[in-house]
Amino acid sequence: MFEKARRVLQFTTTGVILIIAAIVAFVLWDYYTAAPWTRNGQVRVQTVNIAPRVTGQILALHVHDNQFVHAGDVLYDIDPFDFRVAVAVAQAVADQRRADMELKAAQQGRRDRLTDAAASREEKQVYEATAAVSRAQYAQALANLSQAKINLERTHVRSTVTGPVNNLIMRVGDFATAGKTNITVIDQSSYWVDGYFEETKIGSVNIGDPVRIDLMGFHEPLSGHVVSITRGIATPNANTGVQGLPTVDPVYTWVRLAQRIPVRVQIDHVPDSVTMAAGMTATVTVVGSKGHRAHDSLQDAFERLHDTMFGIGAGTRRQ
């Protein structure tokens, strides 16, 4: 009797241990495999490609590579000689047109004060039209003068954003062409992280979810939150072939690899010890309210196991 009870206790204890081990193993699998996190993340940033508005030779370079500049700082100067001459010419033309306008206005005024017997109505109209033409010519001269002055000011090429100068290769003596980029500045306030999540985890990612960002090479994590989820990625099967028909890749594999969907994460806090650089590799983890990795509850995990075993789609269950 005692031996039978001992065997029952052994079997019961072994079964309980196996059940607990299976539950722990499945929960760990769900935590590390199905939870919304990815090691495939990358730091990205917006850059401003600055091009001069005027053409000329570069006389002075006021920055060096990786130098931090502020919006409005002068990056380099273009030879202003031709533009100063243009301002002087435009100023002279404007003065000439103003004198001519004043003369024509005075002539019109004198004709208007004369009687019709001294000056015919047709003559008065001619002088009135001449005065109007001189006023238009003076306005045109002022516009040309304004354009010449702004072109002279544009010989000082300024930064439009605050951040470091990136990959500077230009030198004094280079020829700057209007509209052609020759210097790049990183917008310091535009850093973000793209986390490339497997499509099986996208259902657990929501807009506004808090995120922990671990950069390779730094121990202190960054914090942020999800701002958007990409709604489409490129597919090679969409390419057209002969006669405009789609080219479908004939690949049939036993194990289907999940696609990676980009999730944009806005960075909320960067520790002082972390040096940000676009292109850095990051581990992106959606976290819960306590700062730990977000994952399903035990009930959700068992429901996923049930759906997997019996072939019920997750989308059907959620509906």
Side-chain angles (χ1 to χ4, degrees), residues 236-248:
N237 290 336
N239 296 330
T240 57
V242 180
Q243 297 179 343
L245 302 177
T247 301
V248 180

Side-chain angles (χ1 to χ4, degrees), residues 235-258:
T235 171
N237 290 336
N239 296 330
T240 57
V242 180
Q243 297 179 343
L245 302 177
T247 301
V248 180
D249 190 10
V251 176
Y252 303 94
T253 57
W254 288 101
V255 179
R256 295 296 302 273
L257 298 178

Side-chain angles (χ1 to χ4, degrees), residues 290-309:
K290 296 182 179 180
H292 302 297
R293 181 180 300 173
H295 60 94
D296 291 340
S297 64
L298 189 60
Q299 179 182 355
D300 294 332
F302 278 117
E303 287 182 354
R304 180 183 285 114
L305 178 62
H306 178 271
D307 294 345
T308 302
M309 293 177 61

Side-chain angles (χ1 to χ4, degrees), residues 15-29 298 302 305:
V16 170
I17 292 175
L18 291 176
I19 293 173
I20 293 175
I23 293 174
V24 171
F26 180 74
V27 171
L28 290 177
W29 171 86
L298 189 60
F302 278 117
L305 178 62

Side-chain angles (χ1 to χ4, degrees), residues 256-292:
R256 295 296 302 273
L257 298 178
Q259 293 281 7
R260 295 280 179 166
I261 307 298
V263 174
R264 184 164 180 149
V265 177
Q266 179 177 321
I267 302 173
D268 297 329
H269 173 70
V270 179
D272 296 334
S273 61
V274 174
T275 302
M276 293 288 293
M280 282 183 167
T281 303
T283 297
V284 182
T285 306
V286 178
V287 298
S289 58
K290 296 182 179 180
H292 302 297

Side-chain angles (χ1 to χ4, degrees), residues 11-304:
F11 287 135
T12 303
T13 303
T14 302
V16 170
I17 292 175
L18 291 176
I19 293 173
I20 293 175
I23 293 174
V24 171
F26 180 74
V27 171
L28 290 177
W29 171 86
D30 180 74
Y31 180 81
Y32 286 104
T33 304
W37 73 286
T38 179
R39 288 192 178 94
N40 190 2
Q42 192 173 47
V43 178
R44 300 187 61 187
V45 74
Q46 295 282 357
T47 60
V48 176
N49 298 318
I50 298 177
R53 302 287 296 275
V54 295
T55 298
Q57 188 178 34
I58 297 174
L59 288 186
L61 183 62
H62 301 290
V63 295
H64 56 78
D65 196 21
N66 298 320
Q67 178 179 337
F68 193 90
V69 297
H70 296 85
D73 288 352
V74 177
L75 303 176
Y76 61 89
D77 293 325
I78 295 175
D79 187 358
F81 179 79
D82 293 341
F83 302 97
R84 288 174 180 168
V85 172
V87 170
V89 171
Q91 183 66 61
V93 172
D95 293 341
Q96 178 186 6
R97 295 291 171 80
R98 183 181 62 181
D100 183 68
M101 180 189 67
E102 292 174 351
L103 174 62
K104 298 295 174 50
Q107 291 176 344
Q108 178 193 2
R110 286 194 297 269
R111 292 303 185 281
D112 287 343
R113 289 192 294 271
L114 296 176
T115 63
D116 291 341
S120 66
R121 187 171 186 84
E122 180 181 0
E123 183 180 0
K124 291 181 179 180
Q125 290 177 345
V126 170
Y127 276 93
E128 181 180 356
T130 302
V133 170
S134 65
R135 287 195 298 270
Q137 291 175 340
Y138 178 60
Q140 181 184 14
L142 290 180
N144 292 336
L145 178 60
S146 298
Q147 184 65 61
K149 288 181 178 179
I150 194 63
N151 285 342
L152 177 60
E153 174 61 26
R154 286 170 177 169
T155 59
H156 306 293
V157 180
R158 303 176 184 274
S159 175
T160 56
V161 296
T162 297
V165 177
N166 189 58
N167 193 30
L168 180 65
I169 58 175
M170 63 182 297
R171 290 293 181 267
V172 173
D174 287 350
F175 194 81
T177 303
K180 185 177 180 180
T181 300
N182 55 11
I183 190 169
T184 301
V185 180
I186 292 175
D187 187 354
Q188 185 68 19
S189 63
S190 67
Y191 281 98
W192 82 92
V193 172
D194 272 345
Y196 302 98
F197 285 79
E198 294 176 347
E199 58 184 314
T200 55
K201 300 179 181 180
I202 289 296
S204 301
V205 180
N206 300 293
I207 305 299
D209 283 348
V211 171
R212 169 179 170 144
I213 305 165
D214 294 280
L215 299 179
M216 185 180 296
F218 293 95
H219 296 291
E220 293 188 72
L222 288 67
S223 62
H225 65 277
V226 177
V227 293
S228 65
I229 301 173
T230 298
R231 291 296 188 265
I233 59 175
T235 171
N237 290 336
N239 296 330
T240 57
V242 180
Q243 297 179 343
L245 302 177
T247 301
V248 180
D249 190 10
V251 176
Y252 303 94
T253 57
W254 288 101
V255 179
R256 295 296 302 273
L257 298 178
Q259 293 281 7
R260 295 280 179 166
I261 307 298
V263 174
R264 184 164 180 149
V265 177
Q266 179 177 321
I267 302 173
D268 297 329
H269 173 70
V270 179
D272 296 334
S273 61
V274 174
T275 302
M276 293 288 293
M280 282 183 167
T281 303
T283 297
V284 182
T285 306
V286 178
V287 298
S289 58
K290 296 182 179 180
H292 302 297
R293 181 180 300 173
H295 60 94
D296 291 340
S297 64
L298 189 60
Q299 179 182 355
D300 294 332
F302 278 117
E303 287 182 354
R304 180 183 285 114

